[in-house]
Amino acid sequence: MKKLINKKIYRIFLLVVLVVILVGTIWYIKNEEDFSNLVSRPQGVKMWQADPRPLQSEKAVIKQTNKLNLKNKGQDVSLKSMELVVIPGLRGAWSINPKTKKAAFGDDWIPQGVTQSDDNYYISVYDGDYHLDSLIFQIDKKTKKYVKTIILNSKAHVGGIVYDEKYKQLIYSNDTSKSAGFGYLSKTDMDAYHAEKVKAPIHSKEIKWPIGSRTSAITLYNNQLLVAKYGSNKNDRSIVAVPLDSKGFVPVPSNEELTKLDSEMTQESSKTKDSDTIMKKYVQILVQMKLLNSWAPAWDRLQGIAVSKIGVTLLTQSNGQAPGKLWVQLPKKGTDSSRLDYIPPTTGVREISIPASVEGISLDSSENQIALVFESGAKKYRKNNSLFFHSNYMDRLMILPISISGNKNN
């Protein structure tokens, strides 16, 4: 009897194992099929353009966002009237291989920055395989449709991007492995650019910025370029205000200035090993040289920054698969908001939960709406690796109405 019971248990166990294997195999095959269906083939996308199709239905996106606690905790942002705009190119887009100088198709474009003019949204993406030139997708604001692809002469991360209404030019971060830098695209050149005609990257003005590195976000405020530096270590992350010249360009230190800076910092390092003291001296010298207006520590995992005319600061934080954060911070009373010394995360911050993997944020010129972009729709991040939990991703720009009132002393 005991042997019969043991055999029965063994058969049940074996059956359960076989069922688990069968279900797992079916799930794997279906998951791979679903995943491959979200990736375009080169022949399926018109050369020099991006696939404009979404990865999922708008209903699925709304269902995902409804799971979050999207109730506004303050009066600055309302999340009740959300608009969604498809991020093009997540299925695939054409670019240029800088080695061959010829058109090449990529299917792992990772969104990083977003900015907007009065007429268009601009989204920056880089190749997750680091083989192809980075791109900027242009989207018409009225129709919410993809217009064209602007190919950059760089494989940079392009974490920061901002449109300068005053000088009618788009500024993007153009970092290399050795140093930071910025690129400038005039509106005239962007309007005239059509990759299928020139079969080359767009013409841009490029500036090396040897005093910076690892730019995660940029924005404009009071004739300054605010540059946010990503970092998990407090000594690695910061936000600096850089003065701009009469044409809206970042000042480039001369060789003499760099030599002087190096000499003074060498002397300071010989006096103390305290990193905070050395950093304060470094910033002090840069301010004296008029290469910086101010420096401030920043939040961990900071990804985006936008500032209103009266100094209200909007910041985004990415937290992996956990919900991201949107912070709304008012300048402290009596603070010189032209220098943005109030940026450090202190009191008075209003925190709002937003979908995971948020990257850049943009405030429109009328200050009536913000645009948020997410990187989770990239092929590298959207694949479902769990049998029991479905991967959520955002393949849309999230457009939110905003109301900013008061003054810098409130």
Side-chain angles (χ1 to χ4, degrees), residues 318-355:
S318 179
N319 298 304
Q321 294 297 315
K325 298 295 181 184
L326 168 61
W327 291 301
V328 181
Q329 184 173 14
L330 302 179
K332 290 188 293 187
K333 186 176 180 180
T335 299
D336 179 7
S337 62
S338 67
R339 293 173 58 83
L340 290 181
D341 291 331
Y342 65 90
I343 279 180
T346 54
T347 58
V349 176
R350 296 170 182 174
E351 183 177 287
I352 299 163
S353 294
I354 52 179

Side-chain angles (χ1 to χ4, degrees), residues 84-96:
L84 297 169
V85 178
V86 175
I87 300 173
L90 293 179
R91 290 175 177 267
W94 287 89
S95 180
I96 291 175

